Amino acid sequence: MRKFVIGLLLIIVIGAAGFFTFAPAIVDRNMNRVSGEALPEITDEARALHASLTIVDLHSDSLLWKRDVLDRHDYGHMDVPRLRDGNVALQVFSSVTKTPTNQNYDNNSADGDNVTALVVGQLQPPRTWTSLLERSLYHAEKLDDAAEESDGALSQIRSAGDIDSLLAGRSDGSGRIGALFSAEGLHNLEGDLSNLDVLYGAGLRMAGLTHFFDNALAGSMHGEGKGGLTDMGRDAVRQMEDSGIIVDIAHCSRACVDDILTMARRPVVSSHGGVQATCNVNRNLSDDHIRRVAETGGIIGIGYWEGAVCSTSPEAIARAMTHVRDLVGVQHVALGSDFDGTVLVRFDTAGLVHVTQALMDAGFSEEEIRAVMGGNAMRVIRRGLIPIAELPAPELPASAPSENESESA
């Protein structure tokens, strides 16, 4: 009997070890896939232009997964070697801390959470098992550690000066990559606005108010109430603008977007999504909201998956970008991949040249392509990181949103 019990325990231990070793990678591989569908040929002209670009991607969820971003992987969408292959200069890494059970685009309760099982299955520190704030702080630590261990290949972006250093460092062709830490939904504040300072100290420089459910700050486009900003949400937006945390409206309800754009004193970002004119999905921006984002001097990151552009083809991506350009100007168009965000895409970050080719095929000029692929995002991010108190006096918000007017000019 004793031998039987010992044998059974050994089987359990071996099984558990196998599960915790292999299951996270299996889930990652199944959730973050590249479709393998055919892609257009890339011309020599497109390759040459792409190699000369400064590229910025406004959103990836790679920190969610148990994957060392410094190593090349044959699954998922993004890691540093593939960022280098794609010639990416700056990648925004978002912290996902909670997703609803039975997640969908239309109506989700705040009850239930898929991420908890992932956190435990990855054997993350126990402090992250029950705290959304600690999950974000853990993601920030992962990014810090990656930067420290990268031998200069990956550097944290926390200030306008860091942007300047990144661009200067890339001028020698070294392929250095900047990493900016973001959050997908401020439910990680756990109802305490002072935690925004904690996250800022950990490197947070961009944040969306909501993700797939309503929270204490605002309604989500995918939530049950879909309301606007709460008093806490308004205070959070003000604090973000003051400190230099860029406000992201992705996943916000229409009422939430309206409220943010009405009170915005600084350029607003829609980090990843699409436009309803080319893909009539609820999370995508209406023409009215596109115009109002542009009025703040902000940018709209176009994604690469079905829910963003109603296809996974490069042509569909370019079609959405063309619409924004024609409606409000090319200076408001950017990339927002949502790589590693449990989406199916046709190419990973190493294949970003396909976007360059699609823009060329759609008739974008070289100057326009440089703006879309990263120039616009660099401009908005660099300015957005400057705390409001450090802006030149003529640009400080007064009774009128002078910074917005300056950016839009």
Side-chain angles (χ1 to χ4, degrees):
M1 182 65 179
R2 183 180 178 186
K3 290 182 178 180
F4 173 79
V5 172
I6 293 173
L8 181 60
L9 289 174
L10 284 173
I11 292 171
I12 292 172
V13 168
I14 292 170
F19 173 83
F20 290 114
T21 299
F22 298 108
I26 292 171
V27 172
D28 187 355
R29 189 183 294 272
N30 288 335
M31 299 295 283
N32 300 302
R33 294 187 294 121
V34 177
S35 69
E37 292 179 80
L39 286 161
E41 291 293 324
I42 303 299
T43 64
D44 291 342
E45 182 184 6
R47 291 191 189 280
L49 175 57
H50 189 82
S52 72
L53 300 175
T54 299
I55 298 173
V56 180
D57 177 23
L58 293 174
H59 191 90
S60 84
D61 292 332
S62 306
L63 295 175
L64 181 62
W65 308 99
K66 191 176 183 180
R67 190 193 320 153
D68 187 340
V69 297
L70 298 181
D71 295 336
R72 184 182 296 276
H73 295 80
D74 63 357
Y75 61 92
H77 302 144
M78 196 214 76
D79 47 51
V80 167
R82 284 183 284 179
L83 286 170
R84 188 175 285 114
D85 291 346
N87 192 32
V88 175
L90 174 59
Q91 178 66 57
V92 177
F93 288 81
S94 185
S95 172
V96 178
T97 56
K98 178 178 175 177
T99 60
T101 52
N102 302 313
Q103 180 177 299
N104 61 84
Y105 271 14
D106 298 316
N107 189 289
N108 296 277
S109 166
D111 298 331
D113 176 26
N114 296 319
V115 174
T116 297
L118 194 64
V119 165
V120 176
Q122 292 178 358
L123 292 181
Q124 290 185 14
R127 61 186 171 87
T128 67
W129 295 7
T130 57
S131 170
L132 304 185
L133 174 64
E134 291 294 344
R135 290 177 190 178
S136 280
L137 294 176
Y138 175 71
H139 291 155
E141 290 170 9
K142 285 178 66 175
L143 196 55
D144 286 341
D145 291 344
E148 289 177 6
E149 296 167 8
S150 70
D151 294 325
L154 187 70
S155 58
Q156 287 274 36
I157 300 298
R158 297 186 176 186
S159 68
D162 290 339
I163 293 284
D164 297 338
S165 296
L166 172 68
L167 295 176
R170 286 180 60 85
S171 63
D172 63 2
S174 63
R176 183 178 166 197
I177 299 164
L180 187 144
F181 185 52
S182 177
E184 193 154 25
L186 287 178
H187 38 272
N188 60 358
L189 298 181
E190 298 183 335
D192 185 350
L193 196 56
S194 68
N195 283 329
L196 196 56
D197 290 329
V198 175
L199 289 166
Y200 183 87
L204 185 76
R205 294 299 184 271
M206 183 186 294
L209 276 288
T210 66
H211 195 198
F212 268 93
F213 52 91
D214 303 332
N215 62 34
L217 289 86
S220 164
M221 177 56 71
H222 323 288
E224 293 178 321
K226 299 179 175 61
L229 290 175
T230 65
D231 289 342
M232 182 182 176
R234 293 178 190 279
D235 290 343
V237 170
R238 283 283 180 253
Q239 186 172 329
M240 291 166 70
E241 290 182 319
D242 287 346
S243 62
I245 300 174
I246 297 163
V247 177
D248 180 5
I249 60 172
H251 291 290
C252 260
S253 69
R254 292 188 179 91
C256 169
V257 173
D258 283 336
D259 288 346
I260 290 174
L261 294 176
T262 296
M263 69 180 293
R265 300 169 294 166
R266 310 193 69 175
V268 168
V269 164
S270 176
S271 65
H272 60 298
V275 297
Q276 290 188 5
T278 67
C279 183
N280 189 19
V281 173
N282 65 351
R283 65 160 293 159
N284 294 338
L285 294 177
S286 67
D287 282 0
D288 178 60
H289 282 159
I290 294 169
R291 292 188 186 96
R292 293 182 65 194
V293 169
E295 288 171 2
T296 75
I299 48 176
I300 296 162
I302 301 299
Y304 314 151
W305 75 99
E306 184 80 23
V309 293
C310 287
S311 174
T312 58
S313 72
E315 294 83 0
I317 299 165
R319 191 157 51 245
M321 292 175 169
T322 299
H323 179 77
V324 177
R325 180 199 64 179
D326 293 347
L327 186 68
V328 294
V330 73
Q331 68 269 30
H332 303 292
V333 189
L335 307 182
S337 69
D338 202 19
F339 280 149
D340 291 325
T342 66
V343 293
L344 176 70
V345 293
R346 199 170 295 195
F347 54 86
D348 63 14
T349 196
L352 284 176
V353 67
H354 289 286
V355 180
T356 300
Q357 181 71 65
L359 292 173
M360 292 178 67
D361 293 344
F364 281 62
S365 69
E366 178 179 325
E367 181 180 5
E368 289 177 323
I369 292 171
R370 291 188 184 280
V372 170
M373 296 297 287
N376 295 335
M378 278 292 189
R379 180 191 73 244
V380 170
I381 290 173
R382 187 190 183 282
R383 290 177 56 82
L385 297 180
I386 303 173
I388 228 166
E390 297 176 15
L391 290 172
E395 299 182 69
L396 287 174
S399 57
S402 57
E403 185 184 358
N404 295 349
E405 293 169 359
S406 174
E407 277 291 325
S408 299

